[in-house]
Amino acid sequence: MSNPQQLRYSKEHEWLSDAEDGVATVGITEFAASALGDVVYAQLPAVGDTVTAGESCGELESTKSVSDLYSPVSGEVVEANQDVVDDPSLVNTAPFEGGWLFKVRVSETPGDLLTAEEYAAFTAG
């Protein structure tokens, strides 16, 4: 598995893009998507919702289990990926591209997000 270098990663297995004009994109990692199995349902935060770093803000249901979705940052949701709601398998087939989950106007970024190398070491151990 190759984790894109430009992203940051949480220990709950979400990824975060660099903020453009204060807005960052959030998704789950390929590692998490693989562990979940085939995702069949996605409950994403709604536009206007406030999310808090490290707290649950939705869930993903797979053929194996249901998993909470955690926000890696605090802020206000400005977009939810309707394509993932309509076709949750995008989380498995394109976790770093079309399978992104939501966009957030970042108000606070925790200091414990991992680089791609740190995340690879975290998931290897």
Side-chain angles (χ1 to χ4, degrees):
M1 272 178 251
S2 178
N3 298 304
Q5 296 294 314
Q6 73 276 18
L7 302 177
R8 293 293 169 254
Y9 301 87
S10 74
K11 291 185 177 178
E12 288 81 24
H13 307 288
E14 280 79 25
W15 58 261
L16 177 75
S17 71
D18 286 336
E20 291 183 32
D21 296 326
V23 176
T25 303
V26 175
I28 68 164
T29 65
E30 187 175 1
F31 177 88
S34 177
L36 273 172
D38 295 334
V39 177
V40 295
Y41 175 76
Q43 177 197 356
L44 305 178
V47 172
D49 284 357
T50 299
V51 294
T52 302
E55 292 189 9
S56 177
C57 62
E59 66 182 31
L60 297 173
E61 183 178 330
S62 73
T63 54
K64 293 182 182 179
S65 67
V66 175
S67 179
D68 282 333
L69 172 62
Y70 296 93
S71 181
V73 293
S74 298
E76 181 182 348
V77 176
V78 297
E79 185 178 352
N81 189 348
Q82 187 61 44
D83 290 343
V84 166
V85 173
D86 295 341
D87 181 7
S89 70
L90 287 171
V91 171
N92 299 105
T93 59
F96 296 114
E97 294 90 27
W100 61 272
L101 301 176
F102 63 95
K103 294 185 180 186
V104 59
R105 183 167 309 284
V106 179
S107 62
E108 182 181 345
T109 303
D112 63 350
L113 294 177
L114 307 173
T115 65
E117 293 82 14
E118 291 167 336
Y119 182 73
F122 173 72
T123 56

